[in-house]
Amino acid sequence: MRKSILGALSIALAIATQHSALWAGNPASCSGSECDAGMIRGDGCAAGCSSGLASDCDGCGSGCNSGSNAGCDGCGAGCNSGSIAGCDGCGAGCNSGSIAGCDGCGAGCNSGSGAGCDGWGSGCGKGGLFCDSAGGDSCCADGLFGLGLLGGNHSGWNISGWVDAGFIGNTSSPDSKFNGPYNAVDRSNEGMLNQLYMIVEKRLPRDGAGIGGRIDILYGEDYLLAQSNGLERRDDGSARWNGEYYGLALPQAYVSMGNEDVSLQVGHFYSVVGYEGVMAPDNFFYSKSYSYQFAGPFTHWGAQLNVRPTDALSFNLGIHNGWDSLDRESDKPGFIGKVRYDSQSSNAWTSFAITTGDSSNNLSGNALNPDFTNRTRYSWLMALPVTKRLDYVFHHWLGFQEEGAADGSRADWYGIDQYLTYSFSDCVKGALRFEWFRDEEGTRVGLNRSSNPNDPPFVGDFYSLSAGLNLAVSKSLTIRPELRADWFDGTAVRQPFDDGNDDNQFMLGIDAILRI
């Protein structure tokens, strides 16, 4: 079975490469002349531009385009000196928050607020669906169908968003239509409206001091992991107003004070721990890694200080009320922190983030003595530009829960995710993702929807291999085809896939993201 899976992946990659070559010959379909031929790295300002690979980008090395086009004046490690929408020379290669998921808050990502934002290279957006993956100054900035129908107001509140919908074909055709123990992009052989996502945001000023804020609203199947105890769920974790498959969630709602270099945000925000995130445009792949689904928090309620002392260094420090909780049965403060370093001579970067505090030790229903005990999770990330077109990201993470195992001992889960991304052209990117997730006591994988029959414990090792493309059809539309294989090596009363009947599965998926 595994040999046939790997064979299918090889054939599919060969076909995808031939298809990509055809796209590469027509970059104009997504305004390639304004892209930096490396869209997975933000806007490339920290390490220069694109070595002249695009007509408007002359690879000047110390900044952007040396003024070779409107809005790009070689500002060094920053961006475009504010000459055009969404780019104001923030020093870390981001977009100052003009659109979803990017507000130049530190190391060039989205408020450092976490899930889904550690960036590819020194920019933002993590995976780069369009030219800079956050709609900065190139082929992604014009709003719905390039007409600027939403956003673009740099003096006040801006509105932006997207629609994400797709389909996953599971060759096992499980009767339950669940893709094994998944809790995200989890339905098989049927269409899914994953995200109808809206952001209302006011950015902080670059200099001086001001007051800003942000509210995110999500409707769709992905609501499940954007919920909070005390809001969408009751304090005991039971559902309040959402159904099982589709629901409404408020993943972020915070007030911020300060400027782009030093700010305090208070309220509800994405966690800085982890790599992949809730927001679809911040992820290269349609399907989600196990570490995203089961290893860490998605959001926090609390306060977080974001500090960027230099263009290369940024910090996030905060307190919160546990994982994904506004109000719990036992409210206790927890800690979160992150440090990130961006090389100023290349697009390499590294970060370390950690959160710790007391949380329920009985999420899987297996704890010997249900209680609130210490739960800790950390993530270490490293990104390296292998060539001008090839980038590598390494992610190691670990989590544990005191007294979380069925015998009353500590429960541990840990693993490694790896990403290899190649830029075929301004409009076509390809990537591989290989992951290993070790669920030592079988307490994490399988925390999913109530009718999913693939429940824990699954004691052992989960692996997955994904191959996918990002096809920028236009300024506003990106299509993400993907092939994925999963397998399990461990002990379980029921196997994790095909409703308990198999230890592996193979899937073919595709989704489309339309920015508005």
Side-chain angles (χ1 to χ4, degrees):
M1 176 64 181
R2 293 177 189 171
K3 289 183 179 179
S4 64
I5 289 173
L6 293 175
L9 284 172
S10 300
I11 294 170
L13 281 174
I15 295 172
T17 302
Q18 292 177 355
H19 180 68
S20 300
L22 297 176
W23 276 69
N26 185 26
S29 61
C30 73
S31 298
S33 64
E34 295 180 325
C35 302
D36 64 2
M39 60 192 171
I40 58 172
R41 305 178 186 172
D43 59 9
C45 295
C49 211
S50 55
S51 299
L53 294 176
S55 61
D56 287 335
C57 215
D58 61 4
C60 50
S62 62
C64 210
N65 291 350
S66 296
S68 58
N69 65 17
C72 208
D73 59 4
C75 48
C79 204
N80 289 349
S81 295
S83 309
I84 62 171
C87 214
D88 62 359
C90 49
C94 204
N95 286 354
S96 230
S98 61
I99 67 153
C102 203
D103 62 7
C105 59
C109 210
N110 69 335
S111 285
S113 29
C117 208
D118 269 300
W120 290 72
S122 63
C124 58
K126 245 181 19 42
L129 301 183
F130 303 97
C131 294
D132 64 3
S133 178
D137 58 325
S138 52
C139 61
C140 320
D142 294 331
L144 182 60
F145 304 116
L147 301 178
L149 299 185
L150 294 177
N153 179 4
H154 293 275
S155 61
W157 292 89
N158 298 300
I159 301 175
S160 60
W162 57 84
V163 179
D164 177 35
F167 177 89
I168 292 283
N170 190 318
T171 59
S172 299
S173 297
D175 291 337
S176 69
K177 291 197 171 184
F178 280 106
N179 294 319
Y182 289 12
N183 59 21
V185 193
D186 53 350
R187 300 292 290 166
S188 65
N189 304 325
E190 66 179 28
M192 290 175 281
L193 172 60
N194 298 101
Q195 296 183 10
L196 179 58
Y197 204 107
M198 184 175 73
I199 296 171
V200 181
E201 181 180 30
K202 183 179 181 181
R203 298 176 293 149
L204 292 175
R206 179 182 179 186
D207 301 308
I211 297 177
R214 175 165 166 163
I215 298 174
D216 292 27
I217 301 172
L218 185 160
Y219 176 80
E221 285 202 295
D222 288 0
Y223 85 93
L224 185 68
L225 303 183
Q227 298 183 105
S228 299
N229 290 350
L231 186 60
E232 297 92 350
R233 298 186 297 246
R234 296 182 175 88
D235 61 1
D236 63 357
S238 61
R240 177 165 280 164
W241 65 66
N242 285 319
E244 183 175 9
Y245 298 111
Y246 284 89
L248 183 68
L250 196 74
Q252 293 200 107
Y254 62 81
V255 174
S256 55
M257 296 155 279
N259 58 44
E260 291 181 357
D261 291 329
V262 180
S263 66
L264 176 68
Q265 62 189 53
V266 179
H268 188 205
F269 44 86
Y270 283 126
S271 177
V272 296
V273 179
Y275 187 55
E276 295 184 10
V278 172
M279 297 186 295
D282 282 355
N283 303 295
F284 191 96
F285 292 98
Y286 181 34
S287 75
K288 307 293 188 180
S289 66
Y290 284 96
S291 65
Y292 163 82
Q293 296 180 74
F294 304 112
F298 301 99
T299 67
H300 300 290
W301 288 84
Q304 182 171 284
L305 179 66
N306 308 305
V307 181
R308 186 181 64 192
T310 71
D311 290 344
L313 195 62
S314 64
F315 300 93
N316 310 99
L317 296 171
I319 57 173
H320 57 68
N321 189 30
W323 293 21
D324 313 312
S325 294
L326 169 63
D327 180 32
R328 302 180 290 169
E329 292 181 308
S330 178
D331 294 322
K332 298 180 180 180
F335 166 81
I336 189 166
K338 177 180 176 179
V339 59
R340 171 169 167 149
Y341 175 78
D342 287 86
S343 170
Q344 299 301 286
S345 59
S346 72
N347 281 317
W349 57 267
T350 186
S351 69
F352 181 85
I354 187 169
T355 181
T356 186
D358 287 353
S359 295
S360 171
N361 68 341
N362 197 36
L363 293 180
S364 63
N366 297 321
L368 181 64
N369 298 306
D371 197 1
F372 275 68
T373 61
N374 181 262
R375 186 192 300 166
T376 297
R377 155 75 193 267
Y378 74 72
S379 289
W380 173 51
L381 283 148
M382 178 178 62
L384 297 173
V386 181
T387 69
K388 291 177 181 179
R389 292 182 176 269
L390 185 65
D391 289 85
Y392 171 73
V393 174
F394 174 89
H395 179 205
H396 164 61
W397 55 268
L398 178 145
F400 64 83
Q401 175 95 44
E402 298 294 346
E403 301 177 32
D407 61 1
S409 63
R410 193 177 87 170
D412 295 273
W413 57 98
Y414 47 88
I416 292 173
D417 308 330
Q418 298 181 85
Y419 302 78
L420 197 63
T421 307
Y422 186 80
S423 173
F424 293 100
S425 73
D426 292 333
C427 303
V428 180
K429 313 298 170 188
L432 296 173
R433 176 183 63 199
F434 179 74
E435 59 174 326
W436 162 59
F437 186 115
R438 173 69 179 176
D439 198 346
E440 191 77 28
E441 281 72 34
T443 61
R444 299 301 300 181
V445 178
L447 302 175
N448 47 37
R449 301 184 202 267
S450 58
S451 65
N452 189 327
N454 305 291
D455 293 324
F458 301 113
V459 179
D461 302 289
F462 283 85
Y463 302 90
S464 80
L465 176 63
S466 300
L469 295 171
N470 281 188
L471 309 175
V473 179
S474 70
K475 295 179 181 181
S476 301
L477 178 63
T478 290
I479 297 175
R480 301 186 297 181
E482 177 184 352
L483 301 177
R484 174 164 173 157
D486 295 71
W487 61 98
F488 171 70
D489 183 11
T491 59
V493 176
R494 287 166 50 87
Q495 294 295 333
F497 304 111
D498 193 16
D499 298 340
N501 296 312
D502 211 337
D503 64 355
N504 63 80
Q505 68 179 3
F506 181 70
M507 300 179 298
L508 305 88
I510 188 169
D511 77 321
I513 300 174
L514 176 66
R515 290 181 179 270
I516 54 178

